[in-house]
PDB file of all heavy atoms in Angstrom:
ATOM      1  N   PHE A  26      43.648 -14.097 -14.893  1.00 94.00           N
ATOM      2  CA  PHE A  26      44.260 -14.175 -16.220  1.00 94.00           C
ATOM      3  C   PHE A  26      43.628 -15.327 -16.999  1.00 94.00           C
ATOM      4  O   PHE A  26      43.289 -16.357 -16.433  1.00 94.00           O
ATOM      5  CB  PHE A  26      45.771 -14.394 -16.114  1.00 94.00           C
ATOM      6  CG  PHE A  26      46.465 -13.442 -15.181  1.00 94.00           C
ATOM      7  CD1 PHE A  26      47.096 -13.902 -14.028  1.00 94.00           C
ATOM      8  CD2 PHE A  26      46.480 -12.079 -15.440  1.00 94.00           C
ATOM      9  CE1 PHE A  26      47.733 -13.031 -13.166  1.00 94.00           C
ATOM     10  CE2 PHE A  26      47.116 -11.190 -14.575  1.00 94.00           C
ATOM     11  CZ  PHE A  26      47.742 -11.673 -13.438  1.00 94.00           C
ATOM     12  N   TRP A  42      54.224 -17.805 -18.250  1.00 96.00           N
ATOM     13  CA  TRP A  42      53.039 -16.992 -18.557  1.00 96.00           C
ATOM     14  C   TRP A  42      52.459 -16.359 -17.300  1.00 96.00           C
ATOM     15  O   TRP A  42      52.233 -15.147 -17.236  1.00 96.00           O
ATOM     16  CB  TRP A  42      52.008 -17.881 -19.246  1.00 96.00           C
ATOM     17  CG  TRP A  42      50.647 -17.283 -19.394  1.00 96.00           C
ATOM     18  CD1 TRP A  42      50.228 -16.374 -20.315  1.00 96.00           C
ATOM     19  CD2 TRP A  42      49.497 -17.573 -18.578  1.00 96.00           C
ATOM     20  NE1 TRP A  42      48.903 -16.069 -20.132  1.00 96.00           N
ATOM     21  CE2 TRP A  42      48.427 -16.782 -19.079  1.00 96.00           C
ATOM     22  CE3 TRP A  42      49.266 -18.417 -17.499  1.00 96.00           C
ATOM     23  CZ2 TRP A  42      47.151 -16.826 -18.517  1.00 96.00           C
ATOM     24  CZ3 TRP A  42      48.001 -18.464 -16.934  1.00 96.00           C
ATOM     25  CH2 TRP A  42      46.962 -17.667 -17.442  1.00 96.00           C
ATOM     26  N   PHE A  43      52.263 -17.169 -16.275  1.00 94.00           N
ATOM     27  CA  PHE A  43      51.629 -16.703 -15.044  1.00 94.00           C
ATOM     28  C   PHE A  43      52.523 -15.716 -14.288  1.00 94.00           C
ATOM     29  O   PHE A  43      52.063 -14.645 -13.852  1.00 94.00           O
ATOM     30  CB  PHE A  43      51.302 -17.904 -14.154  1.00 94.00           C
ATOM     31  CG  PHE A  43      50.714 -17.550 -12.820  1.00 94.00           C
ATOM     32  CD1 PHE A  43      49.440 -17.032 -12.720  1.00 94.00           C
ATOM     33  CD2 PHE A  43      51.447 -17.741 -11.651  1.00 94.00           C
ATOM     34  CE1 PHE A  43      48.892 -16.705 -11.489  1.00 94.00           C
ATOM     35  CE2 PHE A  43      50.914 -17.417 -10.412  1.00 94.00           C
ATOM     36  CZ  PHE A  43      49.638 -16.904 -10.334  1.00 94.00           C
ATOM     37  N   SER A  44      53.787 -16.026 -14.136  1.00 94.00           N
ATOM     38  CA  SER A  44      54.683 -15.172 -13.352  1.00 94.00           C
ATOM     39  C   SER A  44      54.886 -13.816 -14.001  1.00 94.00           C
ATOM     40  O   SER A  44      54.960 -12.790 -13.316  1.00 94.00           O
ATOM     41  CB  SER A  44      56.029 -15.871 -13.130  1.00 94.00           C
ATOM     42  OG  SER A  44      56.677 -16.144 -14.367  1.00 94.00           O
ATOM     43  N   GLN A  45      54.954 -13.784 -15.332  1.00 94.00           N
ATOM     44  CA  GLN A  45      55.124 -12.502 -16.010  1.00 94.00           C
ATOM     45  C   GLN A  45      53.887 -11.625 -15.858  1.00 94.00           C
ATOM     46  O   GLN A  45      54.003 -10.402 -15.650  1.00 94.00           O
ATOM     47  CB  GLN A  45      55.445 -12.733 -17.488  1.00 94.00           C
ATOM     48  CG  GLN A  45      56.849 -13.269 -17.733  1.00 94.00           C
ATOM     49  CD  GLN A  45      57.155 -13.422 -19.215  1.00 94.00           C
ATOM     50  OE1 GLN A  45      56.261 -13.415 -20.058  1.00 94.00           O
ATOM     51  NE2 GLN A  45      58.429 -13.571 -19.533  1.00 94.00           N
ATOM     52  N   LEU A  46      52.710 -12.223 -15.935  1.00 95.00           N
ATOM     53  CA  LEU A  46      51.481 -11.445 -15.763  1.00 95.00           C
ATOM     54  C   LEU A  46      51.343 -10.953 -14.326  1.00 95.00           C
ATOM     55  O   LEU A  46      50.903  -9.825 -14.088  1.00 95.00           O
ATOM     56  CB  LEU A  46      50.269 -12.285 -16.157  1.00 95.00           C
ATOM     57  CG  LEU A  46      50.077 -12.501 -17.665  1.00 95.00           C
ATOM     58  CD1 LEU A  46      48.958 -13.498 -17.923  1.00 95.00           C
ATOM     59  CD2 LEU A  46      49.776 -11.186 -18.374  1.00 95.00           C
ATOM     60  N   MET A  47      51.719 -11.779 -13.366  1.00 94.00           N
ATOM     61  CA  MET A  47      51.668 -11.358 -11.959  1.00 94.00           C
ATOM     62  C   MET A  47      52.627 -10.198 -11.717  1.00 94.00           C
ATOM     63  O   MET A  47      52.294  -9.228 -11.019  1.00 94.00           O
ATOM     64  CB  MET A  47      52.006 -12.536 -11.048  1.00 94.00           C
ATOM     65  CG  MET A  47      50.924 -13.595 -10.984  1.00 94.00           C
ATOM     66  SD  MET A  47      49.473 -13.092 -10.016  1.00 94.00           S
ATOM     67  CE  MET A  47      50.098 -13.359  -8.351  1.00 94.00           C
ATOM     68  N   GLU A  48      53.804 -10.281 -12.305  1.00 92.00           N
ATOM     69  CA  GLU A  48      54.775  -9.188 -12.161  1.00 92.00           C
ATOM     70  C   GLU A  48      54.237  -7.914 -12.793  1.00 92.00           C
ATOM     71  O   GLU A  48      54.378  -6.819 -12.244  1.00 92.00           O
ATOM     72  CB  GLU A  48      56.110  -9.589 -12.807  1.00 92.00           C
ATOM     73  CG  GLU A  48      57.187  -8.530 -12.679  1.00 92.00           C
ATOM     74  CD  GLU A  48      58.488  -8.951 -13.336  1.00 92.00           C
ATOM     75  OE1 GLU A  48      58.574 -10.097 -13.833  1.00 92.00           O
ATOM     76  OE2 GLU A  48      59.431  -8.128 -13.366  1.00 92.00           O
ATOM     77  N   HIS A  49      53.613  -8.051 -13.962  1.00 93.00           N
ATOM     78  CA  HIS A  49      53.052  -6.888 -14.651  1.00 93.00           C
ATOM     79  C   HIS A  49      51.961  -6.228 -13.806  1.00 93.00           C
ATOM     80  O   HIS A  49      51.852  -4.993 -13.784  1.00 93.00           O
ATOM     81  CB  HIS A  49      52.482  -7.328 -15.995  1.00 93.00           C
ATOM     82  CG  HIS A  49      51.828  -6.220 -16.765  1.00 93.00           C
ATOM     83  ND1 HIS A  49      52.537  -5.207 -17.366  1.00 93.00           N
ATOM     84  CD2 HIS A  49      50.508  -5.970 -17.024  1.00 93.00           C
ATOM     85  CE1 HIS A  49      51.691  -4.376 -17.960  1.00 93.00           C
ATOM     86  NE2 HIS A  49      50.457  -4.809 -17.761  1.00 93.00           N
ATOM     87  N   ARG A  50      51.163  -7.034 -13.113  1.00 89.00           N
ATOM     88  CA  ARG A  50      50.098  -6.503 -12.263  1.00 89.00           C
ATOM     89  C   ARG A  50      50.629  -6.001 -10.926  1.00 89.00           C
ATOM     90  O   ARG A  50      49.903  -5.349 -10.169  1.00 89.00           O
ATOM     91  CB  ARG A  50      49.044  -7.585 -12.017  1.00 89.00           C
ATOM     92  CG  ARG A  50      48.178  -7.904 -13.229  1.00 89.00           C
ATOM     93  CD  ARG A  50      47.181  -6.783 -13.504  1.00 89.00           C
ATOM     94  NE  ARG A  50      46.277  -6.616 -12.383  1.00 89.00           N
ATOM     95  CZ  ARG A  50      45.146  -7.288 -12.228  1.00 89.00           C
ATOM     96  NH1 ARG A  50      44.790  -8.192 -13.128  1.00 89.00           N
ATOM     97  NH2 ARG A  50      44.364  -7.059 -11.198  1.00 89.00           N
TER      98      ARG A  50
END
Side-chain angles (χ1 to χ4, degrees):
F26 310 116
W42 169 79
F43 177 70
S44 61
Q45 288 183 344
L46 286 172
M47 289 286 281
E48 181 180 356
H49 178 72
R50 288 287 298 273

